[in-house]
Amino acid sequence: MAGHSKWNNIKRRKGAQDAKRGKLFMKLAREIFMAAKEGGGDPEMNSNLRLAVDKAKSNNMPNDNIDRAIKKATGDLDGVHYEEFTYEGYGPEGVAVMVKVLTDNKNRTAADVRHAFNKNDGNLGENGCVAFMFDRKGYLVIDRQTTDSDEDDMLLEVIEAGAEEMETNEEQFEIFTAPEDFTEVKGALEKGGYTFQASEVTMFPSTYTPLDKEGVEKMVKLIDMLEDNDDVQDIYHNLDADDEILDELS
């Protein structure tokens, strides 16, 4: 799984830039709302809700906001109806892109997503055109400064917890799990006293597409434009960008 850190760089860059906490919390609340509406308001009995709540907490969303979203989903909804869709396409120079949305107006969202692709040298494709390039995985990140464990000790604990793989760099331990094992692995590591910089079930590309500076700049503009859309929940891509280029663009 070499390259996951590169894939995650743009996510971290965008997260560091994004001062619009209200927009982020709105998207997280919508995801919680959908999970609670479809599977009930008890995270212990609804694994999708549990994952959505964990994602919200990892982004420092207040508990009151989380509770309010669950209560809205399980109470009087005033006719609110969201649908989940995933759009697939290609960014600049053939970078594979998947866009997960929650929307109350499919036609509006489809037009907005298509416009973002067209404006940034990309094109929207048919369902399935890039999905085969991605694998769904649980993903946990531990800041090495928060633990005394060295790489060998950490690896043993990760294996014992049931994870599939671990990658290490100077700053972090990155842990990967099967989607169905994510909650169990996270719980086991939490019992061991570990806290997480990131924790989610997400999509990882099996191959990467490298771009030069001009291509990376176009791709970043596409990502920014999509993330500014309130209906867009997640964006997955297989861009391989040089860290120096990303730092310069940020």
Side-chain angles (χ1 to χ4, degrees):
M1 289 191 184
H4 281 163
S5 294
K6 286 190 175 184
W7 169 88
N8 206 44
N9 275 348
I10 285 184
K11 268 189 110 173
R12 284 199 289 269
R13 168 192 169 274
K14 178 63 178 175
Q17 280 185 333
D18 193 1
K20 302 174 183 176
R21 302 300 292 174
K23 181 182 286 287
L24 173 61
F25 289 164
M26 182 182 68
K27 293 186 178 188
L28 293 169
R30 189 180 294 185
E31 191 167 340
I32 292 169
F33 176 98
M34 278 292 293
K37 180 172 171 56
E38 293 177 354
D42 184 356
E44 294 299 320
M45 303 297 293
N46 182 347
S47 60
N48 287 334
L49 177 58
R50 185 164 61 248
L51 292 175
V53 169
D54 285 347
K55 181 178 178 181
K57 288 182 176 180
S58 71
N59 282 281
N60 299 315
M61 185 174 178
N63 288 332
D64 286 348
N65 296 44
I66 295 171
D67 293 339
R68 192 178 307 119
I70 294 173
K71 288 175 180 177
K72 279 187 178 181
T74 56
D76 183 6
L77 305 180
D78 295 328
V80 175
H81 178 66
Y82 291 114
E83 295 181 280
E84 183 178 75
F85 298 98
T86 299
Y87 296 100
E88 301 178 37
Y90 299 92
E93 300 181 39
V95 173
V97 184
M98 296 177 67
V99 184
K100 178 184 172 183
V101 307
L102 284 175
T103 179
D104 59 354
N105 187 326
K106 180 183 178 182
N107 292 335
R108 178 197 67 220
T109 304
D112 288 347
V113 171
R114 186 179 300 278
H115 175 67
F117 274 87
N118 291 342
K119 189 173 181 179
N120 295 282
D121 288 352
N123 61 282
L124 202 58
E126 297 181 355
N127 287 343
C129 67
V130 300
F132 68 93
M133 301 182 190
F134 293 83
D135 296 313
R136 191 165 179 260
K137 295 285 184 181
Y139 180 59
L140 299 161
V141 180
I142 297 173
D143 185 343
R144 296 189 69 166
Q145 292 186 354
T146 65
T147 175
D148 294 329
S149 298
D150 61 20
E151 183 173 356
D152 291 338
D153 291 339
M154 190 74 239
L155 182 59
L156 288 175
E157 292 197 57
V158 164
I159 292 172
E160 186 175 348
E164 291 185 339
E165 187 175 356
M166 184 183 81
E167 291 184 9
T168 305
N169 57 52
E170 292 181 358
E171 299 177 351
Q172 300 167 325
F173 296 115
E174 293 182 294
I175 301 156
F176 304 91
T177 79
E180 61 271 16
D181 296 335
F182 173 79
T183 300
E184 183 177 346
V185 172
K186 182 182 179 185
L189 293 173
E190 284 177 332
K191 288 181 180 178
Y194 295 103
T195 58
F196 306 102
Q197 281 186 316
S199 61
E200 61 182 324
V201 176
T202 187
M203 303 292 286
F204 287 98
S206 54
T207 61
Y208 290 80
T209 300
L211 297 183
D212 59 16
K213 181 179 178 181
E214 182 180 357
V216 172
E217 187 170 5
K218 291 178 180 178
M219 185 64 193
V220 169
K221 287 181 179 178
L222 171 59
I223 293 171
D224 286 347
M225 190 170 179
L226 288 169
E227 288 196 334
D228 282 340
N229 188 309
D230 291 343
D231 296 331
V232 172
Q233 296 295 117
D234 286 298
I235 303 164
Y236 313 112
H237 58 79
N238 72 339
L239 169 66
D240 184 357
D242 187 273
D243 288 343
E244 291 183 4
I245 295 176
L246 290 175
D247 289 342
E248 184 177 341
L249 291 176
S250 65

